[in-house]
Amino acid sequence: MARRDGEEVTYTTNDSPSLLEIVKRVMRSKKDCTYILLLASQEILEVSKRGKTLNAYLDDFAQIAGPSVQIVQEETTGFHGLKHRDALIVQGVGALCMGNSESDAHAVAALVQKDSKAALLGLSCAQVKPLPYLDTHLMRYVYKKKYAKLVCSSMGKGKVAMHKGI
Amino acid sequence: MPRIWLRVHGEISAAGGEVIIFLITPSGRSYEQLTGNQLVLVSLEGLAYTGSLKPSSEKGIHALVYKTHPKVNCVIHTPQEMASLMSLIGNNIAISDDWRELLGETIPTSQYGLPGTKALMKQVGRVLKDYATPAVLMANHGALCFGSSPQAFPTSFFPRGGGANNHYGKEGW
């Protein structure tokens, strides 16, 4: 849906103006994001109707996508916490998955999809619970501070990129 | 080897003969660009390692497997979708006849622990001692599969279409 190349941002969406506006605002507010894709699976659309956040059920989701992902309406004028998250779910539209590259965004998308299934599984299995709140934040913090840095370093990304995305 | 998801999550290790050291994938390295000489040599006792790259933070769990099952030469942790979802249910999985020869009668699920911590090692250690199976589900974390060789990994049980899918359907979703 969007790709940043230096200072230039290209938007490829033909979707509604309100969705495009959300994407633009994400790109403006999240300077470390160079790529956004939209994933509109059946599971994500279902989750998008059922609350204000998608909690983390799985540790890789907490680390890479964020401790939780906010669900907003398409007409929203505000969202929060994107500094510490790499996805945003738009109700009835799908998940905006962000990354420092197309590959990173696809990794986030796969995790949002998996966690959406987990959330739906939780509707029918009482024992399926989200991860503890503090644990998810700790996982994300450790991942961003240590692990993501190493991955970017190994992929030859620059100093700026080393602190952003995976 | 069955398709497994190894991007930045999950790790694989291998050893030969009587295991006193093992090779494991490094921490925080892109698997797409990983080369053989970047694998990290780790001692089974003490988990000391050589070289400039750090081993995976889950090296302790791999060491536990080698210690508990002396005939095992390969261990993999995979956060593939089906295994991860089944790990949330928390029950031991009864294995159908089709898979029993490879997997035994049940796949146990260890309780939750923060990744890379001794708490997680403790939980996994408990089920490794109690069950003689080549796979363990780690709650909220994925599957741990092990065998005498990569070909012996039971990872094919978990992806869609595998035996796990039948079990998943029985859970009512």
Side-chain angles (χ1 to χ4, degrees):
Chain A
M1 296 194 78
R3 182 193 297 269
R4 191 195 307 274
D5 187 7
E7 292 298 311
E8 188 176 335
V9 181
T10 309
Y11 298 96
T12 54
T13 176
N14 292 320
D15 290 296
S16 68
S18 53
L19 180 61
L20 180 59
E21 185 54 36
I22 291 176
V23 174
K24 284 182 175 178
R25 285 174 47 212
V26 170
M27 288 303 259
R28 280 197 299 268
S29 66
K30 202 169 168 66
K31 296 296 182 189
D32 59 328
C33 171
T34 61
Y35 197 93
I36 299 178
L37 65 83
L38 175 69
L39 180 62
S41 70
Q42 187 180 353
E43 291 83 5
I44 290 171
L45 293 174
E46 189 61 37
V47 162
S48 78
K49 300 177 196 166
R50 293 180 175 272
K52 294 183 176 178
T53 55
L54 170 61
N55 291 317
Y57 289 79
L58 298 161
D59 53 12
D60 48 4
F61 174 90
Q63 291 170 323
I64 296 177
S68 63
V69 168
Q70 191 184 1
I71 300 170
V72 298
Q73 301 212 341
E74 195 173 348
E75 298 76 22
T76 187
T77 54
F79 40 79
H80 58 81
L82 270 187
K83 183 181 178 187
H84 304 295
R85 289 159 178 83
D86 286 311
L88 180 71
I89 295 176
V90 183
Q91 196 175 73
V93 175
L96 297 174
C97 304
M98 306 149 203
N100 196 23
S101 66
E102 183 175 356
S103 169
D104 289 355
H106 278 287
V108 171
L111 294 170
V112 172
Q113 170 69 4
K114 187 167 68 166
D115 207 73
S116 295
K117 287 186 176 182
L120 295 176
L121 182 62
L123 296 175
S124 59
C125 298
Q127 66 267 44
V128 175
K129 304 281 187 195
L131 287 164
Y133 174 85
L134 288 177
D135 285 11
T136 60
H137 283 265
L138 181 60
M139 288 176 201
R140 174 70 171 181
Y141 177 81
V142 170
Y143 179 79
K144 294 295 277 187
K145 287 293 177 190
K146 293 183 179 176
Y147 200 65
K149 200 183 226 181
L150 287 169
V151 173
C152 289
S153 174
S154 76
M155 294 180 80
K157 292 181 181 179
K159 188 176 177 183
V160 173
M162 284 171 62
H163 298 275
K164 299 165 182 174
I166 59 176
Chain B
M1 188 187 297
R3 181 177 176 272
I4 50 177
W5 181 23
L6 281 174
R7 188 170 188 273
V8 292
H9 269 64
E11 63 285 334
I12 188 166
S13 72
E18 187 180 344
V19 178
I20 52 172
I21 53 175
F22 60 94
L23 277 170
I24 191 166
T25 44
S27 177
R29 290 277 150 174
S30 157
Y31 284 99
E32 292 97 328
Q33 298 180 10
L34 192 66
T35 59
N37 59 8
Q38 291 177 322
L39 297 175
V40 185
L41 204 55
V42 179
S43 67
L44 195 63
E45 297 297 336
L47 303 176
Y49 62 94
T50 57
S52 58
L53 294 180
K54 284 186 177 178
S56 164
S57 60
E58 302 292 15
K59 58 187 179 300
I61 288 177
H62 288 244
L64 268 179
V65 176
Y66 291 122
K67 285 181 185 174
T68 313
H69 298 289
K71 291 183 179 176
V72 165
N73 285 312
C74 292
V75 181
I76 186 171
H77 160 221
T78 168
Q80 58 191 192
E81 184 175 283
M82 187 58 69
S84 299
L85 294 173
M86 295 200 76
S87 79
L88 294 169
I89 296 170
N91 300 338
N92 294 347
I93 301 171
I95 302 303
S96 63
D97 292 343
D98 298 345
W99 293 86
R100 205 164 283 177
E101 188 179 344
L102 176 65
L103 296 170
E105 295 195 352
T106 185
I107 294 180
T109 302
S110 67
Q111 290 185 23
Y112 165 73
L114 266 172
T117 63
K118 287 184 179 175
L120 179 59
M121 281 178 62
K122 189 176 173 183
Q123 298 297 350
V124 174
R126 279 181 185 163
V127 293
L128 284 174
K129 283 179 185 167
D130 292 345
Y131 296 88
T133 67
V136 170
L137 291 174
M138 299 179 285
N140 309 81
H141 196 49
L144 189 67
C145 305
F146 38 93
S148 56
S149 68
Q151 287 71 31
F153 282 151
T155 49
S156 56
F157 180 75
F158 294 109
R160 281 204 175 279
N165 213 26
N166 299 331
H167 184 88
Y168 197 56
K170 290 175 189 169
E171 292 295 329
W173 180 61

